[in-house]
Amino acid sequence: MKKLTKVKRYLVLGILFFLPVAFLLMLYPAKHNYEPLDVVNEKVIDITAFRSDRGEPLLLKDHITVLGFLGKSPLDHMIAASNLKELVYDKFKGFKTFQLVIVVPEGTEEEVEALKKEINTYEDLKYWHYAFASEGEIKMLYHSLKADVNLEADLSLDEVFIIDKDLNQRGRIDGRDERAVENNKPAFGVYAYNAIKVAEIKNMMSDDVRILFTEYRQKRKGKFDDSNTRRANEINKKHE
């Protein structure tokens, strides 16, 4: 009986030891199947001429940026701003080079201050910037982005964009999930993310930003094989 108990004890210990090892071995091939976030558009113009609410130089270059447009009435888009704060900013604010930039027209300074009071609560959102510009400058920036939605007449948009350190717009050439692929649903591109839709921001966009940070981390370690150029060329050809 003692011998049997001893065998059982060793068996349990063996399982407890090898189970984590087996789990890690299962994850290992996944690293080699890592897919970077697609470049869906190149040469997004920078915002050097825009004025920051903090009075500091503000650039997209060399940052991982979530870029949004709140238009002439920023307070009307408080739901979108709150979603971005809670589901994106709070999650990535600790990452180096991350920033969230909201573009607004000149003349909306008072509304922006009111919006800050609503969403900043008890903290200073130092990686959250408002960029003021003329209507022409805002339209020029927007037209340098790839989008399947139009900027509203008040220069606002529910969708937000991911811009990488090299002024490339990131997204998904094929936005289908595994089930949609299995069911042969038609492919579609994801160029922006709807800030009103909680599930889209919380799941798809947050995952895509995380993937982009992983890409840059792997680049620093010299472990990244960039296949984005080929995919970018493919999607550009489809939309010529």
Side-chain angles (χ1 to χ4, degrees), residues 104-118:
V104 284
E106 295 168 341
T108 59
E109 287 82 358
E110 287 188 11
E111 277 211 31
V112 164
E113 289 302 316
L115 181 61
K116 285 182 183 180
K117 291 178 181 179
E118 293 292 334

Side-chain angles (χ1 to χ4, degrees), residues 140-163:
M140 190 178 299
L141 170 62
Y142 177 75
H143 288 307
S144 76
L145 299 164
K146 184 181 286 292
D148 48 17
V149 288
N150 294 321
L151 196 63
E152 298 291 342
D154 69 345
L155 306 177
S156 70
L157 198 68
D158 287 337
E159 282 71 15
V160 293
F161 304 84
I162 298 173
I163 312 299

Side-chain angles (χ1 to χ4, degrees), residues 222-237:
K223 299 179 179 178
F224 181 73
D225 181 18
D226 189 4
S227 58
N228 263 332
T229 302
R230 175 179 53 80
R231 280 197 287 267
N233 289 337
E234 289 175 357
I235 193 166
N236 286 332
K237 286 179 181 177

Side-chain angles (χ1 to χ4, degrees), residues 33-53:
N33 294 327
Y34 168 75
E35 290 277 342
L37 189 62
D38 295 322
V39 172
V40 296
N41 180 38
E42 299 176 331
K43 298 180 181 178
V44 175
I45 65 171
D46 213 334
I47 54 175
T48 50
F50 289 34
R51 178 171 57 85
S52 167
D53 62 312

Side-chain angles (χ1 to χ4, degrees), residues 44-102:
V44 175
I45 65 171
D46 213 334
I47 54 175
T48 50
F50 289 34
R51 178 171 57 85
S52 167
D53 62 312
R54 299 177 185 275
E56 302 171 352
L58 188 59
L59 297 172
L60 303 180
K61 178 72 174 174
D62 297 324
H63 292 82
I64 293 175
T65 306
V66 172
L67 179 67
F69 297 78
L70 290 193
K72 298 177 181 178
S73 302
L75 281 171
D76 290 347
H77 303 280
M78 192 179 300
I79 293 176
S82 296
N83 287 345
L84 290 172
K85 194 269 180 186
E86 294 174 12
L87 304 176
V88 179
Y89 182 86
D90 285 350
K91 187 172 183 179
F92 297 104
K93 62 184 178 182
F95 286 83
K96 189 176 181 181
T97 72
F98 171 76
Q99 63 179 1
L100 197 150
V101 175
I102 297 296

Side-chain angles (χ1 to χ4, degrees), residues 150-192:
N150 294 321
L151 196 63
E152 298 291 342
D154 69 345
L155 306 177
S156 70
L157 198 68
D158 287 337
E159 282 71 15
V160 293
F161 304 84
I162 298 173
I163 312 299
D164 71 15
K165 296 180 181 182
D166 299 307
L167 300 179
N168 295 317
Q169 180 181 341
R170 298 297 191 104
R172 303 186 184 192
I173 289 176
D174 187 349
R176 296 175 297 174
D177 57 23
E178 291 182 4
R179 179 174 294 182
V181 173
E182 291 173 359
N183 294 331
N184 293 319
K185 298 291 184 181
F188 61 92
V190 176
Y191 313 127

